[in-house]
Amino acid sequence: MICPLKSEFGSQARAKGRTLQYVELLPVASKDPVVDGFETNTNAKEGVNVINFHTNNDGLFWKKP
């Protein structure tokens, strides 16, 4: 399961120079991608940076902001 790190209006809008951040809940025995790590991707055509944080800590994932 994956969701935006900050849930707010326009949080997933792709605009040049924007950085989008997501957090992904992984199964307990997940090996790929690495748990408690992150990966970054840049779409040069759109000029958008995407950061995906990975965790298998469901308490942290579902924690209220």
Side-chain angles (χ1 to χ4, degrees):
M1 181 176 292
I2 189 168
C3 70
L5 190 59
K6 293 181 179 180
S7 184
E8 58 191 13
F9 179 78
S11 63
Q12 296 184 38
R14 295 183 176 267
K16 189 173 184 174
R18 184 127 191 233
T19 298
L20 303 176
Q21 298 181 18
Y22 297 94
V23 61
E24 183 176 11
L25 181 61
L26 301 171
V28 173
S30 180
K31 294 182 182 178
D32 186 32
V34 177
V35 174
D36 295 331
F38 67 94
E39 51 188 343
T40 60
N41 298 306
T42 302
N43 184 323
K45 185 176 180 182
E46 295 179 350
V48 176
N49 298 318
V50 179
I51 302 172
N52 290 320
F53 298 96
H54 308 289
T55 187
N56 63 0
N57 182 339
D58 62 336
L60 181 62
F61 183 84
W62 294 109
K63 185 178 177 182
K64 290 184 179 183

